[in-house]
Amino acid sequence: MREKAIVLEVNKKYCTVLTSGGDFRKVRMRGVFSAGQEICLPDNGPGVYRYALAAACLAFFIITAGLWKFWTLPAVAAYVCLDINPSVEMALDRDSVVRGVNPLNEDGENLVAGLDLKGKDVREAVEGLIGAATDKKYILPGEENVVMSSVIPAEDQSGSPEMDLLVKQSIENSLQRKNIQAEVVVVNASPVVREEAGKAGMSTGRYMLYLNARERGADVSPADFKNKSIRIIEKEQKIKISEIEKNTPGHGKGTIREQGRPTGEKSVDSGADSQKPASVQSGGTGKPGGGGWKSGGDKQQGGQDNSGSGSRKDDSGNNQNKGKDASGGNSAGHGDKGNGSNRGGNAKSNGSSGSAVSGDNGGTSGGVSSEHSQGGGGSSDKGSSEHSQGGGGSDKVDSSSQTGSGKDKFNLQVW
Amino acid sequence: MMPFRIKIKDGGTGGGLAGPKGSEKVLPEDILEKMLALIRNGDCQARENLIAEFRPFIARAANKFCGRGLEWDRDDELSIGLIAFNEAIDRFDEKRGVPFPAFARLLIKSRLMDYIRKQSRHTAVSGGSLDDTEGCGLSNHELSRAWDIYLDQESAREREEEIAEYKKFIGQFGITFDDLVRCSPKHRDARATLLRVARVLAGDELLFSQLMSTGKVPVLALTRQAEVNIKIIERGRKYIIATSLIWRHCEEFLYLCSFIRLPGKESGR
């Protein structure tokens, strides 16, 4: 109902009015009024507030919902599981910061005890864990050690190669610092596998080993995998972990395992493929100078290599060991693209000693096949295998050209 | 016109707490409407009654305008006032938004002004410009349009003055419009109660004179008279004063008075 009123007083924002019902009121009015004027009060007094209230509520809910999503989403972006014998799982957020630590067995608890990993970058966390593992004698210098790490994206995102890389590098760096040789394996797993592993009561890495063993028809029970160190499992089950790495379900990523040897012998290595998809990094545990890489029987199937499309993420900056080595069959194909000074030196030495260094020029370098890289002579392949030239020394190391060369095809030979 | 405005103001301030002199009640709105309807239907007796009822009102309006006491048998001004009032009955139109008494008063003033002008033209030959236009025979249509405009302007000015005066008047009791906004009850029933109390106060000579002399509501007496809780009166003190002033001086605050409707007729006098 529209009520009549007489304007009594006009202020800037309000009119004081007297309504026909005898009510004195202040009304917010638009327009020009003068005292004494008779007006009809718009009937929007409560209405305006009601709408404003409704709008405010709506806005509140929308904002809350938005924030909620925003808060909850980035909680955990990936899990990184570390298996030595201790098994520890870490939850990482998008920025690779550790949000949660979950020891998966007794050794794991023991390992984690006294470490404060939360809030640290994954690199520091991994280093901390490796350091602790060394201190607590889970990893011993001079022995065969296996560090297995599985990276599981929290949701079914495409796996993050960067994360794999990061983890691998972190492990290797910390091992190197402790002067320990170990086999470092990084595998990828899907969240489903992780869940199943959780149900089975073991870490994802172990579960994958278990799955692998079962696939082969071995008669195994989950219990066999629970509390033994990975190395022992490997021995017992005669599993090549690296194979698991390669066969990581759902990821056509080849992985390589390297074992650094302290000795400076150059040895060979087949396994190095320059084409690794990003997730694969040859671990640089070895001293750079040594450059002896033993291919642990990794076979890189051509297919994989091919499939390893150009998303190679090696940054020349930090990787000392790049898997840029195009290994010739017999010759140690060492395409060191490293940028580290060590690397450079290494490359030279290799070159002089006749290792084949394949410099990939640009992304277009043709496949480097073993045939082209020939034995003694350090061959520097420029761009394509056809051009491989004998005569060592003219290594062209071009780190920049390596990044992003995606189409190379490699035949890898395995020793 | 100027003298008129000045007069009104003088009356307001000069009255002091005593307020405007005329405290006679104007006919209640609803009765007035009924009578006007009857007259419009040709009831001559009703017209006579209404004019008789308003005689004092006409006299006061004329007195105020002329600024001197007038006597019925002696002064032409009163006769002119009567004629103007009669004209007001015919010309009154509710749609104009001016209450009948105010309308009648406007008309009376207007006619008196014409009369005084004519008088002065006879005595002194000082013809103003207004006289000239008046003299040159405007058409009826033009005259009525001019009258409408005049009426609108005049009533608007009267309203404004009335409110200014009212503001001043309640100011003497220490009441501002903001106070009234604050203490006027939001609930219709509560308001009706207070209005009824105010009506009782305005209608009771003794109580109202106490209010005017002391500036305070005679709470206890009023409680007895209006049969309401003392707290209600205490709480609505300012509101009661403000509204009872309107009713008491209905003629002075014609627009306000005819504007506020008393909810429920039980307390009408």
Side-chain angles (χ1 to χ4, degrees), chain A residues 332-348:
Chain A
H334 240 62
D336 299 336
K337 309 312 171 91
N339 353 359
S341 60
N342 290 339
R343 244 5 206 163
N346 190 11
K348 277 180 194 163

Side-chain angles (χ1 to χ4, degrees), chain A residues 202 206 219-228 233 236-237:
Chain A
M202 59 178 91
R206 286 166 199 270
D219 183 19
V220 289
S221 75
D224 295 336
F225 291 83
K226 274 190 185 166
N227 276 315
K228 298 179 182 170
I233 294 173
E236 277 182 1
Q237 304 295 336

Side-chain angles (χ1 to χ4, degrees), chain A residues 1 3-9 11 16-26 34-39, chain B residues 97 156 159-160 163 166-167 177-178 180-181 184-186 188 191 195 239 242-243 246 255-256 259-261:
Chain A
M1 104 188 168
E3 214 174 352
K4 279 185 148 196
I6 284 186
V7 179
L8 298 177
E9 224 175 7
N11 298 330
T16 309
V17 300
L18 168 62
T19 71
S20 57
D23 191 13
F24 291 87
R25 245 187 249 169
K26 275 189 178 169
S34 57
Q37 203 174 353
E38 217 166 287
I39 56 172
Chain B
R159 284 167 180 279
E160 204 172 340
I163 283 164
Y166 181 60
K167 189 177 176 184
F177 285 141
D178 281 348
L180 290 176
V181 169
S184 91
K186 295 293 162 243
R188 202 178 304 139
R191 224 155 49 215
L195 282 174
Y239 186 81
T243 47
I246 292 180
Y255 295 94
L256 286 174
F259 189 73
I260 301 183
R261 304 263 153 76

